[in-house]
Amino acid sequence: MSYISLSDNDLKEMLTAIGITSIKELFNSIPADIKLNRDLNVPGPLTEVEVVAYFENLANKNLSLDVLSFLGAGAYSHVIPSVVDYLSQRGEFVSPYTPYQPEISQGTLQTAFEFQTLICQLTGLDIANASLYDGASGAAEAVLMAHRLRRRPKILVARSLHPQYRETIRTYVNNLHLNIIEIGYDESGCIDLEKLKGSMDEETSAVVFQSPNFFGSIEDIQKISEMAHQYSALSTAVIAEPVSLGILEAPGILGADIVTGEAQSFGIPLSFGGPYLGFMSCRKEFIRQFPGRIVGETHDVEGKRGYVLTLSTREQHIRRERATSNICTNQALCALRATMFLETLGQEGFRELAWQNLQKAHYAKGQLSQIKGISLKFNGNIFNEFVCEFPKPWEEIESILLEKKIIIGYGLENEFPELKNCAVICVTETHKKEDIDKLAAVLKEIT
Amino acid sequence: MSYISLSDNDLKEMLTAIGITSIKELFNSIPADIKLNRDLNVPGPLTEVEVVAYFENLANKNLSLDVLSFLGAGAYSHVIPSVVDYLSQRGEFVSPYTPYQPEISQGTLQTAFEFQTLICQLTGLDIANASLYDGASGAAEAVLMAHRLRRRPKILVARSLHPQYRETIRTYVNNLHLNIIEIGYDESGCIDLEKLKGSMDEETSAVVFQSPNFFGSIEDIQKISEMAHQYSALSTAVIAEPVSLGILEAPGILGADIVTGEAQSFGIPLSFGGPYLGFMSCRKEFIRQFPGRIVGETHDVEGKRGYVLTLSTREQHIRRERATSNICTNQALCALRATMFLETLGQEGFRELAWQNLQKAHYAKGQLSQIKGISLKFNGNIFNEFVCEFPKPWEEIESILLEKKIIIGYGLENEFPELKNCAVICVTETHKKEDIDKLAAVLKEIT
Amino acid sequence: MIREPLIFEISGEGKRGFRLPPLDIPVTINLLNEVPTREKVDGFPQVSETEIVRHFTRLSQTNYCVDIGFYPLGSCTMKYNPKINEKVAAMDSFVRTHPSVPLKFSQGNLEILKTTEELLSEITGMDAFTLQPAAGAQGELVGMLLIRAYLEDLGNPRKIVLIPDSAHGTNPSSAHLSGYTVQEIKSNERGTVDVNDLARMMSEDVAALMITNPNTLGIFEDEIKKIAGIVHSKGGLVYMDGANMNALVGHCRPGDMDVDVIHLNLHKTFSTPHGGGGPGSGPVGIKSILEPYLPVPLIERHGEGLHLNFNPSKKTIGRIRGFYGNFLVIVKALTYILSLGPQGLSEVAEIAVLNANYIRKNLEKDYHLKYDSPTLHECVFSDKFQKEHGVLNIDIAKRLIDFGMHPPTMSFPLIVHGALMVEPTETESKRDLDMFIAAMKTIAIEAKENPEVIKSAPHGSYVRRLDETKAARQPVLKWTPERTD
Amino acid sequence: MIREPLIFEISGEGKRGFRLPPLDIPVTINLLNEVPTREKVDGFPQVSETEIVRHFTRLSQTNYCVDIGFYPLGSCTMKYNPKINEKVAAMDSFVRTHPSVPLKFSQGNLEILKTTEELLSEITGMDAFTLQPAAGAQGELVGMLLIRAYLEDLGNPRKIVLIPDSAHGTNPSSAHLSGYTVQEIKSNERGTVDVNDLARMMSEDVAALMITNPNTLGIFEDEIKKIAGIVHSKGGLVYMDGANMNALVGHCRPGDMDVDVIHLNLHKTFSTPHGGGGPGSGPVGIKSILEPYLPVPLIERHGEGLHLNFNPSKKTIGRIRGFYGNFLVIVKALTYILSLGPQGLSEVAEIAVLNANYIRKNLEKDYHLKYDSPTLHECVFSDKFQKEHGVLNIDIAKRLIDFGMHPPTMSFPLIVHGALMVEPTETESKRDLDMFIAAMKTIAIEAKENPEVIKSAPHGSYVRRLDETKAARQPVLKWTPERTD
Ligand SMILES: Cc1ncc(COP(=O)(O)O)c(C=O)c1O
Ligand SMILES: Cc1ncc(COP(=O)(O)O)c(C=O)c1O
């Protein structure tokens, strides 16, 4: 299949108009010695029927049907209202570029403005951007921003922050030669507040922590922020499961200065890890150091309200090497989906969603913790994830459950050698009581 | 789920504005003795998640996956370009009413005008309407129209016309007390021209035949039309598989006066039988008796081209009991899909489609006819269907093949007792060589 | 705004919008030697996929629709079409089933059909349903044929069908198609059927009364039982046009009003989208006396399974279409019924009636209301006040377009001259209702102060007022290559 | 036209757009006793599903997009996005796989990723690819971090990155983020890298040259091998910004030009839609010397199966994001590559270049072209002629909107003042090109005869020219309940 729209005749007329006899002539500026004088070694062309068959074949290799999964750990299975798919696939949303021409991009821009508003409402902070790549790179951008704001060499990072986010931060800041100090966790699964206190000082730009954290435990944002503020370090909260914000107090209200995270939970399918949706918000005094596109409200020459990309003097296309971030293309369509998701659920629906996650996860936690041999690794408060320790090697547990068509959770020992035979189990509103009971029943049998 | 858009407060304000205290008061005009004083005994309400689960469960009961089917007989499996689904589901096409207000319905109207043009090009006739319910009711409307035009009591109907179409004609004209005479078929599977000739006379309004007919045989439209015209009866061709028109001469060119049929083949999925797409075209002198909506071109007050529903003095909302048909809502969205389908395939693609059907069906016919015990029932020219006679009882053949996950075709003996152990087999571009070879191999084994 | 050409006008040799996989069998030549064939379909366009997508995306944007805004087209019940309906109806298994598969391959589909029949029976209080009719008008035809078959069976199909003068055009048309002569019954000053007139006209020549309830004025025929009694007493049957069922659902049932036959429009009351003119679905509900006459095939429960009965009784009116009905439309309607449940369904009628009365209350001083009877889900204003300034209902309609709204129905009821039939439905927000009311009030003022602005409307649409007379007088019904435009 | 409110402005207590199934477990109260909670998210809207659908349908129609028309936004390669890509990427199995499933549950997905890596290597002539970067800019960062890691490994990461003055803004920004100081190289009068300037600036402090080829003027850097030679001779590496790969695909390969690292934009060359600003995908291709540094995880073939290697070598730059890349975007790009095949891909470049040259030829008398070198897939005009009449590139851009077209790029290259960078892409019809040419010619005439109509443009859009200065000076970045508007 080719997507060319020229007829045979058009082609001839255009060559004549240009004054050439063959398209090849237009490539004369490419030196002969670097021209590729053969066809690319690429399969195809495939027609629609063939390409669909090709991918159906691959899809079948995924074997993922009918499995009952309790995987979370940074990617969450939530309900998606039918209107989100229906509306977000409209060509007018899918096929424009970044809204450089606001007069013909109000759909994208107004939606982004609504997204920013929703993120501020969720996080309790003043300003939000129009999206970042994902939670991990968002965390890295937050560290860079905090460092630009405070210019101090020390960054405290909770070990209970998603390991991929920690690694990404490390990659992004590697050449800044910062002193990244990892702060462990205590028996609640939360950041070790004593250790945090001990590490915090005038050299510290920020403390970065996740809540609910990678183990599912809810951090004490207030305490952490107080400790940070004592040295005017920035309290940087990462939210990987923002459905929790339907029931947990806004981090900004509790003292966080920067809130960043992953909003995949908001209407973005699991998609084997991407595209997802990074978001970030902060206090308004940090705006000059804030990364990413921002949409603002203004008026047209007739006084009609409209929206534009604004404060772009922070950005690469104006400021070049002095930009607050190199980001250009972000995750606009994912932000659109998140906006649709949140607005469709609405205040009541979102509250209910959070509440059901909380209830179901606690029900599961209760059921599992009663099973002989299985223990809860941590005693902190949780939202929709928690860590279990199993009496048998994790690999064995995992594979026995797979035979029963259950993916029980995310094994921790690769990334946390100290958490042998432990796994994070995630329960959301998508799990029915019978799913949870089945998990418990199977586990009872095998432990 | 409810789709109400009033807030609690709106409701109060509206009651106040109307001057009542409860909505119930608005129903006072319904006498108490016919009020339903209980809840309807209907399940639900179901949320989206639940309703999807409900229907997935039913979908699974269909057991239709992975079956290799050679069913045609009035409903055909053809490729559907991805753009057809993508574009036809746009809210702007799906959610308007019939275009009574042309100024805000040009999308629907221009598409219908293009549809009419395509149908005229396909059928070789002057005018086409914007759609009818389906092929069967289209055939009935054609008979009614022919009778209005000729006012003669006799209608000759080919026995090789789709039995459902024949039955529908009978139902529609029952109270007109017409003399419906069935004309049999010969060893080619085509209408028995001798018998036709013998039955044709000055009392005949029309001859109605299908080509390719229900057995797949291509009728001699020219001869049939000549016979009809000799008595100025109307040659009425029914096309149930209009993909054939990509390679067969237009019936209008061959003498048909009315061409009607089923355009499900054009981008409409099989859908367990509906919604499908009836179409009709005829010579322009019949326009006053033509049923259904028609779109015409005109101009607006500024001279801009535009489209409107026209010639509505034929229709029920103007002419009431003297209308040419009672049709009101038709199958507009199906016609839109057909328009997209044909325009996407285009002249070349449509020719190729017809050609592949022809080739594959003949390949299959060749393979099957070589199998000992299986014989071709008819020797006529075919397009993509043909009739095989099996050496064993049809039920046995059908069920053995079902075990091999093959639906071999449409068994004829219920509707044609004279065709014992016969079935119509349909082969389209969707069948791969290996599918056909598999059918042949399995049949070889069991016959 | 760029004017969108006809696809034929951008066609060009060599452009392709789609390709089939290459033929995977040996080619045989001369397969159709004796048959007249053609090299290509003359005039068929050749465009690229890019051009197809732009053509239809641009065209789509010239359409107004329910997904865009308020659509108070009376009698059409243009409610919001839930997207979950579309999602369910797009499930592979529903979309891909061939209608002639062996029964065990379609048990799920048959269950959907049977369940819908049963639920519609409960909702309407009828004894049985056929889901076959493709739309309301075909439902009417089926209903009248059932009545005819029943009467014929009793010895005399009779000659006349009585229809109120306020009825929709399909009613007389369908009656005629069923072989009956139509006689009109007058409406009384309340806007309802004149019972005396009816009694006078009712005879043993009359096969049936076709009545719409609430009628097309939105008024409930409160004497319906009396009316039915009169008809029944002379051996006739009562056919109810159920297009206005949105006013009643959950509150009263036609079956309880002594109605013998009813059709519903699933594309009205049951939220399936209208698609710019279909596909719809017009199921017919009946009392048990009519059951032997139902069209074939019947869907029957046999123990665990479901079965299609193609030969239920000699009395059947026969077949009225191919296969079993507009299946995917029925899937959507069932999705809707289950989504709403009993309270949701009854709330539909409540809010539909509330919204209509809110509009009526707000506009009854500005626009003439011929009948002051209480109305349910719609009400019919007229242009009587505005006509004094030379402004007709069509002008008001066109002017509404400038306010971003769809106009009301104007083509009927014929008993209200210059009708503006307004049906807001239950899914509209107060904001939309208020915007409509404000627009109508503005237009009422404009009619006095600046009638020209109304008569030259619409001003802002993709095309302005179109010359419908020219279209009918010099019909151009297809594109031809000779044209230059 | 009705102005679309913010969703917050139509919110109302009691409206619901969605419902969850009821909780099916016993409720436990006081689960979060010690944790600060909230009753609700303040300010969150409450609207119906009807209102959601209308809100976004209406908003969508205020967007211009590729599905609507010509979008010659230079450097952005706004080609048609095939719908089959969307269909494939929407397959259940791709959409629903959790990224952390055991490997045997994702073999199909991994095969897609690996195949795409391999095909991109073949297309670009590079040795290996990582598909992780979420967009071009992240690709640049990864590419520069790879270079840095490599040089560090050799003992010295070096300090400077050279970038031509015509480069896109992300180039210097990414170089900076990777810890380098940026030095600009001048373009010569041909519009290409000044080789002498480069030779002068190249030193053992220079880590890399970031070059775009064809450059942002659309001109092929024909001395690329010489340039690479100069850089390599001092131990530096050559980074190529592959955003303009649409001009080259199938005709020459960066790997054959001695380029060491390249990023591609799948959302440009490989037809994945831009989504109003993403998601994109910016894969990075490398020569084998950089392989030890690739970000984790690597996708590796192990016999029959595929495997994710999270700890390939100590030398890896580490992780640059969560999981494995924008998977669904990659699925779309692979669909595109397979759909086109080798000839189709090479035709892409041919027609893209043809279309651009057709426009150039037709407009070069009307608009100033600073450089007269041959151009490939795009060309950069300027407003020099029009400026004499007070008309700037932005005015021309806004005026184009009135003609129903998207304006060209204006924000760069910085070396052309008042730039109008026009990239038509290969999917456009001659009719669209001709309409654009005609519009531009009309504007050129208007600039002389009626400059005001240009300067006050656009006239017909949903909003007219917006006050961007106000937006930046008095930032309003979210809705708050206090506002009245
Ligand atoms: C009152 C009434 N009856 C019957 C019909 C006919 O229904 P359909 O258009 O589905 O054939 C309509 C539809 O407009 C109607 O409003
Ligand atoms: C030349 C060039 N380089 C890099 C980029 C950045 O790519 P992205 O927007 O995908 O981050 C762009 C995109 O605008 C570009 O045009």
Side-chain angles (χ1 to χ4, degrees), chain B residues 97 328-329, chain C residues 75 135-137 140 168 170 241 243 263 265 267-268 412:
Chain B
Y97 204 77
C328 180
T329 293
Chain C
S75 204
E140 296 172 19
H168 187 259
T170 50
D241 181 331
H263 84 261
N265 302 60
H267 45 298
K268 297 182 178 177
F412 78 108

Side-chain angles (χ1 to χ4, degrees), chain A residues 36-102:
Chain A
L36 183 72
N37 292 312
R38 61 165 176 87
D39 277 349
L40 287 171
N41 184 12
V42 159
L46 298 186
T47 60
E48 284 201 356
V49 171
E50 293 164 317
V51 90
V52 166
Y54 175 91
F55 281 99
E56 270 173 355
N57 180 36
L58 290 175
N60 290 338
K61 287 201 186 155
N62 283 336
L63 302 179
S64 61
L65 301 163
D66 303 334
V67 175
L68 174 59
S69 160
F70 294 90
L71 280 170
Y76 300 93
S77 185
H78 289 295
V79 69
I80 301 182
S82 59
V83 290
V84 174
D85 281 330
Y86 185 81
L87 293 167
S88 68
Q89 66 172 355
R90 283 177 62 82
E92 293 93 328
F93 288 132
V94 173
S95 75
Y97 204 76
T98 304
Y100 293 142
Q101 295 293 333

Side-chain angles (χ1 to χ4, degrees), chain B residues 327-353:
Chain B
I327 195 167
C328 180
T329 293
N330 54 29
Q331 303 285 115
L333 197 64
C334 299
L336 177 100
R337 285 183 69 99
T339 307
M340 289 172 174
F341 174 89
L342 292 173
E343 294 179 356
T344 303
L345 263 74
Q347 198 174 51
E348 287 270 334
F350 189 64
R351 161 82 195 184
E352 169 82 16
L353 176 69

